[in-house]
Amino acid sequence: MTPKYEKQEFVTVLVRDPRIQKEDSWHSYVDYEIFIHTNSMCFTRKTTCVRRRFREFVWLRQKLQKNAVLIQLPELPSKSPFFNMNNPHHVDHRRQGLQEFLEKILQNALLLSDSRLHLFLQTQLSPEDIEACVSGQTKYSVADAIHKFASLKRRFPIEDKERKRGENDAESDSESSSSGLGHSCDDSISHGCKASTVPEES
């Protein structure tokens, strides 16, 4: 008899669309879109799209390593003092490194069991909010956060008036820099990026 066909699980991850985000008059950074498409039972949602910056990847790796001490995690692209966010080659090299990092992470069943990874990939929660959620310090669960983000396509939780204010600024968010990277003046709402005082890309 022919063996019964079993559907093979897959996880597709793409790191793409780098954009320059302005925090204030002096500080900017680059964030990247993370697209996930999967049929894996490990994931609450099968298709999601979020934006993350480099320092959030650094935070994720530190947390995953702390919770899986026997696993040697893949490295992130090195943080160079000569990184120039207006240089497309620098930005694309980092983008490729971030995608390779996630591809390797998602091949490990133990790492896939970490709720921080799923909140990182499927919501726009900040690292602080992710920690609060997985520690049971929020009114919403991990699954609640992911479903809520999927339905709203914005940071969870957030007030409607903040969304409307973000939409009013949409025109200024669509400008492009001379480097060819997307460049927005205030994407803290539309891309779920909190403002901070970190100088330049980190």
Side-chain angles (χ1 to χ4, degrees), residues 39-53:
N39 65 351
S40 172
M41 297 298 293
C42 296
F43 287 81
T44 303
R45 304 289 301 189
K46 304 312 178 186
T47 303
T48 52
C49 192
V50 301
R51 299 196 70 85
R52 294 291 182 184
R53 59 189 297 182

Side-chain angles (χ1 to χ4, degrees), residues 114-134:
D114 195 314
S115 295
R116 292 173 183 83
L117 176 61
H118 292 272
L119 290 170
F120 178 89
L121 294 174
Q122 300 201 292
T123 77
Q124 284 293 165
L125 289 176
S126 68
E128 295 80 9
D129 291 338
I130 290 175
E131 276 300 309
C133 184
V134 299

Side-chain angles (χ1 to χ4, degrees), residues 8 52 78 82 102 126 138 143 166 172 197:
Q8 185 175 2
R52 294 291 182 184
S78 59
F82 304 107
L102 289 179
S126 68
T138 59
S172 64
T197 57

Side-chain angles (χ1 to χ4, degrees), residues 78-123:
S78 59
K79 184 178 179 180
S80 169
F82 304 107
F83 179 84
N84 180 356
M85 70 178 66
N86 291 307
N87 185 320
H89 298 292
H90 289 189
V91 174
D92 193 60
H93 177 74
R94 177 170 285 184
R95 181 201 61 76
Q96 291 179 27
L98 295 175
Q99 177 160 324
E100 290 171 3
F101 169 77
L102 289 179
E103 286 173 344
K104 293 174 182 177
I105 289 294
L106 293 174
Q107 292 174 9
N108 188 293
L110 179 59
L111 298 177
L112 274 173
S113 68
D114 195 314
S115 295
R116 292 173 183 83
L117 176 61
H118 292 272
L119 290 170
F120 178 89
L121 294 174
Q122 300 201 292
T123 77

Side-chain angles (χ1 to χ4, degrees), residues 41-202:
M41 297 298 293
C42 296
F43 287 81
T44 303
R45 304 289 301 189
K46 304 312 178 186
T47 303
T48 52
C49 192
V50 301
R51 299 196 70 85
R52 294 291 182 184
R53 59 189 297 182
F54 182 74
R55 73 176 186 185
E56 292 177 305
F57 280 87
V58 174
W59 170 86
L60 175 67
R61 188 183 186 281
Q62 291 173 344
K63 290 298 181 180
L64 293 177
Q65 187 67 83
K66 183 178 180 181
N67 294 326
V69 293
L70 298 180
I71 296 177
Q72 181 60 46
L73 265 68
E75 296 294 333
L76 288 166
S78 59
K79 184 178 179 180
S80 169
F82 304 107
F83 179 84
N84 180 356
M85 70 178 66
N86 291 307
N87 185 320
H89 298 292
H90 289 189
V91 174
D92 193 60
H93 177 74
R94 177 170 285 184
R95 181 201 61 76
Q96 291 179 27
L98 295 175
Q99 177 160 324
E100 290 171 3
F101 169 77
L102 289 179
E103 286 173 344
K104 293 174 182 177
I105 289 294
L106 293 174
Q107 292 174 9
N108 188 293
L110 179 59
L111 298 177
L112 274 173
S113 68
D114 195 314
S115 295
R116 292 173 183 83
L117 176 61
H118 292 272
L119 290 170
F120 178 89
L121 294 174
Q122 300 201 292
T123 77
Q124 284 293 165
L125 289 176
S126 68
E128 295 80 9
D129 291 338
I130 290 175
E131 276 300 309
C133 184
V134 299
S135 301
Q137 299 174 14
T138 59
K139 294 181 179 179
Y140 51 87
S141 67
V142 171
D144 289 338
I146 294 172
H147 282 302
K148 189 70 171 179
F149 174 75
S151 64
L152 299 179
K153 299 297 184 185
R154 50 191 169 89
R155 182 179 291 279
F156 171 81
I158 195 171
E159 299 296 331
D160 284 341
K161 62 181 180 181
E162 293 180 338
R163 175 181 59 81
K164 292 176 182 178
R165 185 165 64 246
E167 289 174 348
N168 291 336
D169 295 335
E171 290 184 2
S172 64
D173 290 348
S174 60
E175 297 177 2
S176 297
S177 68
S178 59
S179 67
L181 299 179
H183 190 163
S184 62
C185 296
D186 183 4
D187 278 352
S188 60
I189 300 300
S190 61
H191 293 313
C193 298
K194 286 186 176 179
S196 70
T197 57
V198 177
E200 208 170 87
E201 161 73 356
S202 57

